[in-house]
Amino acid sequence: MAVRWWAVRWLVVAALLAGCSTSERFTLGDPPRGVDLPEVAAVSDLTFPVDAELLSGRYSRFQEWHLSARVRVRSLSDFLSGNGLPEPAPVQGSFRNPASDADPDWHPDAATAVTPADTDVHRQLRFVPDGASTVVYVLVADV
């Protein structure tokens, strides 16, 4: 009987050690997942032109859901008027991208911004000139 008790004890210890020795890193929240342009448009309550190009788009969750995306548009004025947005104002610095680990190219420096107040969507938009086009940085919180 004593042999069985020790065998059970060693079996429990071995199972605990095996469970603790995984190399998997545990973090809070869910890992970022990619999104497509129609999903970015739906979540951000924006309309993108047909020739818009999604450069990156991610959902991430830490304490709340965030959608972050970079979309290239050919005509900023068409994008603004098509969405009923005012002219963007100059801003300094960049806003934090919650999915920055998944999107290393998120570094808007010289940007203009608009945060519309006429929508229930908690979003921020920044516009960075990129040659003949503009990259629209979209950040939506509490998705």
Side-chain angles (χ1 to χ4, degrees):
M1 179 119 160
V3 174
R4 282 195 220 157
W5 173 248
W6 282 103
V8 170
R9 185 179 287 179
W10 281 111
L11 182 61
V12 169
V13 169
L16 288 173
L17 289 174
C20 294
S21 66
T22 62
S23 60
E24 192 174 327
R25 191 177 92 183
F26 294 98
T27 59
L28 293 173
D30 298 333
R33 72 167 175 84
V35 294
D36 57 13
L37 190 55
E39 190 171 11
V40 171
V43 169
S44 64
D45 194 26
L46 294 169
T47 302
F48 292 96
V50 176
D51 62 348
E53 175 188 2
L54 178 66
L55 303 174
S56 67
R58 300 280 187 270
Y59 260 132
S60 66
R61 182 177 190 284
F62 182 67
Q63 293 178 338
E64 59 191 12
W65 284 99
H66 293 273
L67 176 126
S68 54
R70 291 182 303 120
V71 180
R72 177 175 284 123
V73 295
R74 304 289 174 227
S75 171
L76 178 58
S77 60
D78 289 348
F79 175 78
L80 293 172
S81 64
N83 286 291
L85 300 173
E87 282 296 314
V91 294
Q92 294 192 5
S94 60
F95 52 74
R96 182 182 168 274
N97 169 24
S100 59
D101 291 342
D103 187 3
D105 294 323
W106 184 284
H107 299 291
D109 294 323
T112 56
V114 60
T115 303
D118 61 348
T119 179
D120 291 334
V121 178
H122 301 288
R123 67 181 178 202
Q124 292 182 340
L125 304 175
R126 297 243 175 150
F127 306 95
V128 179
D130 184 24
S133 61
T134 300
V135 176
V136 180
Y137 287 76
V138 180
L139 179 63
V140 182
D142 294 319
V143 173

